[in-house]
Amino acid sequence: MSDMHQHSVAYVRETMLPEAPPPAREQGIIKWMRENLFANVPNSILTIASIVVIYYILAASLPWLLNGIWNAESIRDCREILQGAAGGCFAVLTERWNQLLFGFQYPDDQYWRPLIAFLLLFVAIAPVMFFKYIPSQFLLFTALYPFLAYWLIWGGLILAPIVALVGFVVGYFVWGRLVQRSFATGFFGAVAAAVIVWWIGGLITAGMDPEQAMLVPVASRDMGGFMLNLILGTVCVSLSIPIGIALALGRQSSMPIIKWICVVFIEFIRGVPLITLLFVANVVLAYFFPPGTNFDLIIRVIIMITAFASAYIAEVIRGGLAALPTGQYEAADSLGLDYAQAMRLIILPQALKISIPGIVNVAVGLFKDTTLVSVISMFDLVGMIRGPILASTEWNGVYWELFGFAALLFFVVCYGISQYSQWLERELTTDHK
């Protein structure tokens, strides 16, 4: 009996075995490939087909890139150097980089001005984009940047941007004093005060000698290249977001006049192509001003592009407002908040968070649509390529290199905007899973 019991008891190990490495197929690159590239038969077929396509693309493009010519004075010199071999003529970029970036009329010795304005742009938008990590005191420079950037790029008397800044400051203080009576009183009082300051400042600057300017004046017609796309994109996106918010709120207003003004504006602008609005800015607007009035073309284009983008952003934000449950509005009412406080503290923060993908989509599309100004004879990046550069005898026939460079610049900017929006969504998330 004892022998039977002795043989029926299993052996129990008292010490642990040393850890063994996982199988090769369950770790490292092999595991990643199994899970992402060869998880099943359809995925494996798609992976193999993609590898074949990538191979043929690289086989055709790499020799053209690696054998590219960077030092030549014309396309004929590139062809003589290549001797029939595959290779890109990238010398056009080294020869005409200044025209591609700044246009062909911006003074060569003043390139440092838009470069400084571009670098300061990152300093100015940092407190807005990374508000959780940068103190709010830096927003003062953000408010000053538009006037500083205008003076750097356009030059002229520094008194002009100072007068513009003073007008906004006076309007802000008038708004703060009168808005307690009513919104309309504060708004129209602020506008009137700012206009008076600008009118007085215009009279003062008109009597000053332009030769006293610290920076050489540069006319808007001399702006061009990618610099013009950045100016239009940055200014129009910055203006269209607050205007779009106001239009979205106005469309939901209980006051019929304000509601229908916003509805008519949004539906009309959304029903008209942007290129039509640009032609209106270039030709038609001149008929609405007194004879001899010189209204800057860039300002006219900014007005039209901003109006176009504002209508689309207004609809995006209206969708965010509609997505909020009714309980949020009721919660604001239960706290005793008025309309302005409820929108600023409860409703708009949530609606804007929901609307981030749509707003970014409009912003990216708007920045790319700035190339349409080339159809009204404004020499932006695409206008420079299609006009002075390809029309020259030295580089007539160079297409892939120039348009590839333009595509690269726009991709870097648009991809950066997209990545920032995804980061911002992660920062603002309140879901804890």
Side-chain angles (χ1 to χ4, degrees):
M1 186 70 180
S2 60
D3 293 340
M4 294 176 59
H5 179 72
Q6 182 177 2
H7 287 90
S8 64
V9 176
Y11 174 76
V12 178
R13 180 180 292 274
E14 297 180 353
T15 59
M16 295 293 295
L17 289 174
E19 294 184 0
R25 58 183 297 175
E26 295 297 332
Q27 62 178 334
I29 187 65
I30 297 178
K31 179 183 178 182
W32 181 87
M33 293 176 63
R34 286 184 63 254
E35 293 180 351
N36 297 277
L37 301 181
F38 302 99
N40 48 47
V41 175
N43 283 0
S44 302
I45 294 174
L46 289 175
T47 298
I48 295 173
S50 301
I51 292 174
V52 173
V53 172
I54 293 173
Y55 169 77
Y56 280 107
I57 292 175
L58 293 179
S61 60
L62 280 181
W64 183 77
L65 293 171
L66 298 177
N67 296 332
I69 305 301
W70 293 90
N71 293 313
E73 295 183 358
S74 66
I75 188 174
R76 291 182 296 273
D77 294 342
C78 289
R79 291 170 178 171
E80 291 178 1
I81 297 172
L82 290 172
Q83 294 293 327
C89 188
F90 299 109
V92 64
L93 303 180
T94 58
E95 287 287 323
R96 300 296 182 95
W97 66 269
N98 54 342
Q99 296 180 5
L100 292 170
L101 297 180
F102 303 103
F104 63 94
Q105 290 184 321
Y106 203 89
D108 297 351
D109 58 344
Q110 302 295 316
Y111 287 160
W112 60 272
R113 289 160 46 180
L115 285 176
I116 291 179
F118 176 71
L119 294 177
L120 291 178
L121 173 64
F122 294 96
V123 180
I125 64 177
V128 179
M129 298 176 65
F130 307 102
F131 52 90
K132 285 187 177 181
Y133 308 100
I134 298 180
S136 58
Q137 292 83 355
F138 289 91
L139 288 172
L140 178 61
F141 179 77
T142 304
L144 297 176
Y145 173 76
F147 308 97
L148 177 61
Y150 172 84
W151 181 62
L152 283 172
I153 296 174
W154 272 267
L157 296 170
I158 194 174
L159 186 61
I162 291 178
V163 169
L165 175 61
V166 172
F168 279 104
V169 172
V170 171
Y172 175 78
F173 281 106
V174 172
W175 156 271
R177 296 293 297 273
L178 300 180
V179 73
Q180 298 177 355
R181 300 180 182 178
S182 67
F183 177 84
T185 303
F187 176 78
F188 290 110
V191 171
V195 169
I196 292 174
V197 172
W198 293 335
W199 178 69
I200 296 174
L203 295 178
I204 296 175
T205 55
M208 299 183 65
D209 186 4
E211 295 183 356
Q212 298 177 355
M214 297 175 61
L215 296 177
V216 178
V218 180
S220 294
R221 63 177 178 272
D222 297 334
M223 307 286 175
F226 193 60
M227 174 183 66
L228 181 59
N229 296 109
L230 287 176
I231 292 174
L232 295 177
T234 303
V235 174
C236 294
V237 169
S238 302
L239 294 177
S240 61
I241 292 178
I243 295 176
I245 294 174
L247 289 172
L249 297 178
R251 185 161 187 166
Q252 294 189 332
S253 175
S254 58
M255 293 181 283
I257 296 179
I258 293 181
K259 178 178 180 179
W260 283 108
I261 288 176
C262 295
V263 169
V264 170
F265 176 85
I266 292 172
E267 296 302 330
F268 174 78
I269 294 297
R270 291 175 67 216
V272 177
L274 177 58
I275 193 171
T276 303
L277 298 177
L278 293 177
F279 278 114
V280 170
N282 187 34
V283 180
V284 180
L285 280 184
Y287 295 104
F288 293 92
F289 296 100
T293 303
N294 184 19
F295 195 40
D296 194 282
L297 178 59
I298 289 185
I299 296 180
R300 284 182 276 165
V301 170
I302 287 175
I303 292 173
M304 288 302 176
I305 296 179
T306 301
F308 181 82
S310 299
Y312 282 88
I313 289 180
E315 288 299 281
V316 171
I317 295 175
R318 188 170 70 91
L321 293 171
L324 290 180
T326 310
Q328 297 297 318
Y329 296 88
E330 296 174 349
D333 294 336
S334 66
L335 293 174
L337 302 178
D338 59 19
Y339 178 81
Q341 292 173 332
M343 285 295 166
R344 181 171 61 88
L345 299 175
I346 296 179
I347 306 301
L348 275 181
Q350 299 180 72
L352 291 177
K353 175 188 172 183
I354 297 173
S355 305
I356 286 176
I359 293 175
V360 172
N361 185 48
V362 174
V364 170
L366 172 64
F367 181 69
K368 293 186 294 185
D369 285 343
T370 57
T371 56
L372 292 176
V373 299
S374 61
V375 302
I376 58 173
S377 301
M378 294 183 71
F379 292 103
D380 70 315
L381 180 58
V382 175
M384 287 299 306
I385 294 174
R386 295 173 55 189
I389 297 179
L390 287 180
S392 63
T393 57
E394 293 86 359
W395 304 109
N396 187 7
V398 180
Y399 295 99
W400 284 99
E401 295 84 346
L402 290 170
F403 286 108
F405 177 71
L408 177 63
L409 290 180
F410 278 96
F411 172 78
V412 169
V413 176
C414 295
Y415 182 74
I417 296 174
S418 176
Q419 290 299 304
Y420 169 74
S421 70
Q422 296 179 31
W423 174 85
L424 183 61
E425 289 184 57
R426 292 191 297 268
E427 287 288 310
L428 296 178
T429 185
T430 55
D431 299 331
H432 299 285
K433 298 182 180 179

